[in-house]
Amino acid sequence: MSLDGEIYVPTPLNEIEPHTIKDCLVLRPLSYLVPTQQVAPLVSLAQIETGDESLYEEQPASHLTQMRDALNHDPAYFGEVISHYAEDFYCSDEELEEIQFKLPIAPDHDLAPPAAAQESQNIFGMSAFERVLFEMVEPVCLENAVPSQLCVQSKSLRIVEDPSLSIGLQASPLPPPVVPKRSLEAEPAVPKKLPKTISVNLQEVSTGMVQQLVELVQQVGLNDSDQGRGWLRIDELHTVVDTAILDTFAYFLHVIITGDSTQSDPAKQSIRLIDVEYLARIQSICAKSIEGCQSLTWSALTESADHDQVAALVGWAINGLKAVSLILTVFQCGRSEKQLFLEHHLECMITFLYSFTQDAIIPLASLVSKDSSSLRPLYGNVALVMNKALARLSRFAKENEINDTLITRLEYMSITVVFAEANIKDRTNVLGVSTFESLRLCHCDIICNIFQSKKDQQQFIVDEILSNFEKLPSHKVNSRQFKLTRGVSIQLATALLMQLLQTYNYQSYPLKKVFWKLTTKPEMSSNERTALAAEVALFQAASRAIYEESLATSNTIISGLINNIASHPDHAHKHGFETFLEDLLNVLQFPEWPAAETLLVSIMRTLMNVIDSGKYPSLFETFALEMAGLVGVKMLSLKNNSKPSFGVFSSAMSVQDFESYFGVYETVLSHLHGLSTKDATYTAPFNYQFLKFLVSVSSCVEDIEPKEPLPEVAASNADKTKLPLLKAMKEHYSKLLATADNPKFKAPEVAEHYTGDVLVQGYSEVLLSSDLLHLFDAFLSIVIRSLDSPKVKSRTKAIKNISLLMSKEPSLLSLPQITNSVSKRFNDSSALVRDSVIELLSHFIVSKPEVIEDFYMYICDRMDDTSVAVRKRVVKLSKEMYVATTNRPVKVLIAQRLLLRLDDEEESISELVTTNLLDLWFFSTILEIQNLSDNTQISHPVFRRIEVMIDILSQQDKYLGYFERFVKDQVLHKTELNSKYHAVIMTAVRLILDKAVDFIIDGVETEFHGQVEKSTGLIALFAKCDGRLITQDQLISLQPYLTNEESTGDTICYYALQIFRYALPETRNFRPAFIDEAHKSLLRRLTKFNVKELNEAMPCVWTLSQLKKDTLTITNAFVSCLKLVAPFVEEANSQKPFKSSIKLKRLLYLIGNFGKYCDFEPNRAIVLEARVGLKSKDSVVSLVTKILLIFSKLTVEPDIRRIAIKNLLHVCSTHPKLFMIDAVLQIMDSGFAGQDTDIKEVIIQSLYDFLSKEEEDSIKRNGLDAKVSHDMKLDVAVFHGETSSYVTDGICSTIVQRYLTEILECCLQEKGVFSFMPVKYLQLVVRLGFANPKICTPTIIALEASTADLTRNVAVDIHKELHEKYESLIETSYIEGIKLAVRFRLRAAGSLIINEHRFLSTFYSVVGTNKAARRKFVTSLVKSFVFEPTRLPLELLVFHKSYVTYLVFNIVHAEFVMLEEVYILVKGIDSFISSGGVDLGFSISELMGDQGEKRLEPYTKLALSSQILLVMIGFREYLINSYSLSTEKLMSFLAKIDKDMAVAPKAVKSHPLDLYESELNADLRLIEVCSRICSTFCHKIESLTNGQATMEVPDASEDDLG
């Protein structure tokens, strides 16, 4: 609209006349007259118009269209798919590559834009798929344009004045040419002779444009009051000049400035022909347009739904941005008049850009719209214009001074855009990724240029960037939109920080002319050499200062980021730093980003300082350790992946290594220099890389070059060692300086082939000599030290760092310092640390089987860890170790520990153990055999498993029991775990038994005889679990071992008897000859078998008799035995003593076994007729019982009595009701009441066997699936107590309760083997639940003090089981148990108990499973020290002295888990001393002052009390000194939860426990000695009361301790 509100129609400027052919063609290209090939350079490619949009009607989306849309919607996710399909569209044609282009001249384009800029401008608006296709094609840039070869004389031309020829104020400065249609048929192609060339003189064109520019300014108006044509009204107050006018101004200035660029004489430049007033008027016109645009409400762009309104606002925005660009063009046109650099114009531009960015650009970045497809082109045009304006503003800010206010606003604007939250990934976003990222890049360029040119703004810029870091997107993919040429994407913020560092360059110190003059001189005088050296020295100092500035900036950046995390340890700050660090690591190997290495050095040094100082919170230190680990892994990866041809770059390297290093670095520099000649963005990386190299070389030169003149001898020595290297370094240093500013700078020819991955590899070799890689050893040392950190999370992260490092270099595990530190962590107090160390080894120990033997013991010890996660991980790792190792003992230990975990309270672990064992021993056997190519090797995998099994069976009985139960419950019985593969497992079992039998048959009387015995035991165990496993053929094969009378007493004979005992009842189809032979052989040898064999042979004989259907023979044998024992019975009944007889002993064993295993009731008549004492109404068993009772009397010799009681109880075990007979009960009562330990052992062993058998029978009766209720049948008789099982259970419970107290006392009788039998019995009754845990706990705790390893281990196992199930019930019995342990050890060792220090460590390993339990126990323990000195009897004081002393020595050798525990002990002792100690002092004073008769007992009691308190005081001083306890904390400590106290204590001093003043071994039978001890105590308590404020705690009660 015009100023009057009417339609504005521009009029042509007929006065402007073109003078050259080019001027004419610019106004109206006559393409149909001029040959098109020569016109191509004159056509503006940017002016191609698209056709009518109505031609492209929307079609239904096909599958291919949907696929394309999906690819374009999420290019990050479908990146590989896009690349794959793009390759199908790409093709190359050698003929097309030969085509060359002329340079076009368009008014709105720079004359020589860089290739990268052209590319970035052409990809706006493209979809992801199209962009990939576009990037695959080599761009045609300015470098590809060829100069013209023809020259013609130019003459002034005139054209007819026509309105259509106006350059006027149309929308486009170059309207599309009108080309008339021509018929190819009417005008056949006639070859014409083309002119050789057409030459355009740019200087003449620019001179012609000056007049047109001036006339156009006059047309628009020379002042605001005289506005001419082209002005448009925005509102009532503001007008703007038409955009076409601005475009024409820009075109004229562009041509003029371009023409001037060819003029070497500034005085002859065309821009100087323009009066300054006209240039100032152009600025005023633009400022007027900017002010008008500034008045608009830009928020309407995001709020308005009116497409026309949005399009209008976009037009005004383009107008204002072009005005900004035009003012900056005038600023940079080469004129220096002050009126052209008005601050008002600069403020106007920056204010407009700032407000437009805040109100329009940033909101648009997050705006999504369903009309995005129509809006994106509009906003894309805005971005193109804005990018140009920002680029010009960036150059201006770099080259000119701007006041602080405007600079600050400019910085805020750019930083805001860089860190703006955008929704550009959404396909409906109105801006799009490419558009917004191009704007961000322009703003980054502004920040970098300000940072480089204005030192006073550097700290502000860094601070602002760091404060905005938390605004970065949390999603790493969304945040990494800056795509590098090497295909890696990083955060733009990361790239910005690196670019800031790379603004430091050596060119900040320009070398003087003397340097350039002398370097090209072939020969120099000494003065000239001195002058040259001085200039080089100045340059070295300047470059080093510049580099140190960059290091300081890097340190500032990193310290700022880390301080932000320290003060705000939230996820956003940590995530931002982690992403930043990962970006640096991703670009570290790219020579285009040399600042990455500088920043990483700062990061590592800062993080290592945080970790090593110990001053930071645990969470922050853990985070620092984690981040440092990422860098450490990258450093190790570089070391492993690069194999440099030279050593470490230092003053100690050889000349040859330096030459190699220099060659590689020179090639890198050549590559960067080549890139910088094509793209100016690579200039900064080249300069910074060059700077780093110059500084590194000059530093080495300084190290080598002597600071002072050396004596002749020393100088000669230096010549032989360092001077050749020094000479080479100086020569190459000078060479680099001489060529650095040379445009033809190029490394050797090899550089042409040194690109891509090869270049990265070469640069990686350079990095190996960088400062970063030199930090690796220090980092590794810190990680190893962190393994011993008192902070749990630090130890955990250190282990994970070791794991990451070992993933790159597994050999690290073999380093002694790592091996030792890792081994210590297996027993760490934190389950998290223990789990981490197991995880660490699980990654590498299997791939390196040679280290299994170093760690398998530690790993297996963790099988019973308190943490479920640790146990589960150990079980998994154990299986892998078992498979990987070939060491048989290792396999055996792993299998043993796995068997123990079958009873794990965590069902998932027990199931995992079961599955692992089934796989290792059975299922994998079949799979391994199936994979064998040679069937003759089948026995090898089977025997490997048999060897492990027989070794397990030859170990302790507990492993035998677990293995037997595993075979019975999990192998032979079909369960949910093995149901799918049970048939395969049973096949493996039969195969194992077959091979074992074959080995037994073939290995007798060979060197494998020992293995044969063990293999026979393995078969016997399987037979015991299920006799049906032993086939008839196998039994026949083993018959010689059964019938061979010479083998009696041999282990093989015993196992053979056991096999036949359990297999015979399950097999019925034997040949009569086999049965008869075996039956006769066993009957003949019954009297020859030892006791152990007889227990197996008797059931075999009975079973064979039943199979033979001949029980008379064995009945007659029984009768014969009774007749033989009759004389001994009469002698025993005569009350006369008789001597022990071997015959009687054997007869008693035979009678007992007959009564236990044989049922003679069917043949009762035979026994009755024999008149051996059987009455008509009695059973045969009762007769056996009576005979055995006769020999169980107290009057019988102990050996005979012991055998009789043993066999009596054996008979009772198969006839449980006999236990309730008074005579039997009296025998057991008298046995426990007597002093004969052998009798007690027999009774306990018999009861143990009875309970074990009843447990086994119960499982057989109910089955292993008895827990499943729907599979059980209800037995009503049980409720009435009428079933045998009910009766037996009652008998078991009654016997256990009747003799529990006596057996508990027996447990504490430390007399060899006997003491262990009661312990086994105790373990059984606790497991079966027949005993009250609270009653058993004190004895169990006392047993943990035993010096016998087997007893102590069983006690610990029982304690663990009770602690897991009944912790709250048994913890009240702990102190009672500890006191019982002291009494137990006093009886066994007397005063030597002070040398036993393991008890409390063992006990603490059980109760110390959680913090609450530990705190409660330590509190109870220190309370137990309290006593009443004047009221306790003498004998109790003697015990209390031993009790306190024993515990003090044990506590000293125990390992505390929390520092809080130490404070509880000290605070409790202080509390007692402040009350009880003072009272004792008064009592001593009264006794000493008494002038009456001196009696020994009072002195002895006070001396004992004094000794106890002196021990406690000495113990207190030991704790305070050893752990450096704070007096202030002691005074304020109340045993409450405190995070500072919840750390592991660390003894800082080696302070011995000094109890010398206690005189523990003094003879208290002397009053003088007692008086001396009492005086010592009084002096001690007085010094404590006067010198220690912590003793004054009268208000502290015992409740405060818990």
Side-chain angles (χ1 to χ4, degrees), residues 338-357:
K338 291 184 178 180
Q339 56 265 47
L340 296 181
F341 296 91
L342 298 180
E343 188 170 329
H344 166 73
H345 295 157
L346 186 60
E347 181 179 3
C348 179
M349 290 187 298
I350 295 177
T351 302
F352 169 67
L353 289 173
Y354 183 86
S355 61
F356 181 71
T357 299

Side-chain angles (χ1 to χ4, degrees), residues 615-681:
K615 300 178 181 179
Y616 294 87
S618 177
L619 288 176
F620 182 63
E621 185 176 313
T622 304
F623 176 75
L625 197 55
E626 181 181 3
M627 296 298 101
L630 296 178
V631 184
V633 171
K634 184 65 175 181
M635 290 191 288
L636 192 58
S637 178
L638 280 174
K639 280 189 171 184
N640 293 338
N641 296 334
S642 301
K643 297 180 180 178
S645 56
F646 47 85
V648 177
F649 183 78
S650 66
S651 58
M653 69 190 312
S654 66
V655 176
Q656 183 179 359
D657 284 350
F658 174 73
E659 295 287 351
S660 300
Y661 176 81
F662 181 82
V664 174
Y665 216 128
E666 189 180 26
T667 305
V668 171
L669 292 174
S670 174
H671 167 74
L672 292 176
H673 192 276
L675 293 177
S676 65
T677 58
K678 301 176 183 178
D679 188 346
T681 57

Side-chain angles (χ1 to χ4, degrees), residues 134-155:
F134 180 83
E135 292 172 350
M136 292 179 68
V137 181
E138 188 71 22
V140 179
C141 308
L142 177 61
E143 304 87 59
N144 304 104
V146 295
S148 177
Q149 301 296 328
L150 300 179
C151 294
V152 296
Q153 185 176 1
S154 301
K155 295 182 179 181

Side-chain angles (χ1 to χ4, degrees), residues 1304-1320:
L1304 290 178
E1305 292 177 359
C1306 292
C1307 290
L1308 300 178
Q1309 301 295 326
E1310 191 162 282
K1311 290 186 179 180
V1313 178
F1314 165 66
S1315 64
F1316 185 63
M1317 189 62 246
V1319 176
K1320 285 182 62 179

Side-chain angles (χ1 to χ4, degrees), residues 1534-1601:
L1534 292 176
K1536 300 288 178 66
I1537 298 176
D1538 189 347
K1539 292 183 179 179
D1540 294 336
M1541 299 290 182
V1543 297
K1546 191 173 182 180
V1548 296
K1549 300 177 182 178
S1550 178
H1551 185 79
L1553 176 62
D1554 184 9
L1555 301 181
Y1556 174 76
E1557 294 179 339
S1558 304
E1559 297 188 52
L1560 295 176
N1561 297 323
D1563 187 358
L1564 301 184
R1565 292 175 295 180
L1566 301 175
I1567 293 179
E1568 295 80 4
V1569 175
C1570 295
S1571 299
R1572 185 177 69 246
I1573 294 174
C1574 291
S1575 299
T1576 301
F1577 169 73
C1578 289
H1579 290 303
K1580 194 72 175 178
I1581 197 71
E1582 183 179 357
S1583 63
L1584 282 175
T1585 305
N1586 294 333
Q1588 296 290 342
T1590 57
M1591 301 300 298
E1592 300 174 3
V1593 283
D1595 297 331
S1597 63
E1598 290 184 353
D1599 293 334
D1600 293 332
L1601 298 176

Side-chain angles (χ1 to χ4, degrees), residues 308 376 412 447 484 641 698 711 801 807 898 927 983 1118 1229 1398 1426 1497:
D308 293 337
R376 275 194 181 184
Y412 272 129
I447 296 172
L484 308 181
N641 296 334
S698 63
N801 279 341
S807 65
L898 287 174
L927 293 181
F1118 170 64
D1229 291 344
R1398 297 178 55 183
V1426 178
E1497 183 177 351

Side-chain angles (χ1 to χ4, degrees), residues 806-869:
M806 286 171 54
S807 65
K808 302 295 182 182
E809 184 55 60
S811 62
L812 287 176
L813 190 59
S814 59
L815 294 178
Q817 59 268 38
I818 292 182
T819 302
N820 295 335
S821 298
V822 169
S823 301
K824 293 178 183 177
R825 293 308 107 209
F826 281 103
N827 297 319
D828 196 276
S829 59
S830 170
L832 190 62
V833 176
R834 298 194 301 271
D835 184 67
S836 297
V837 74
I838 298 298
E839 182 184 12
L840 160 68
L841 293 176
S842 65
H843 292 159
F844 311 103
I845 201 168
V846 177
S847 60
K848 295 179 66 65
E850 61 272 12
V851 302
I852 291 179
E853 297 182 18
D854 296 332
F855 291 100
Y856 78 99
M857 287 291 294
Y858 299 106
I859 296 172
C860 290
D861 287 342
R862 289 296 98 212
M863 199 86 74
D864 58 350
D865 196 276
T866 55
S867 168
V868 175

Side-chain angles (χ1 to χ4, degrees), residues 175 576 879 987 1033 1276 1378 1546:
K879 179 185 176 182
T987 302
D1033 292 339
V1276 180
I1378 294 174
K1546 191 173 182 180

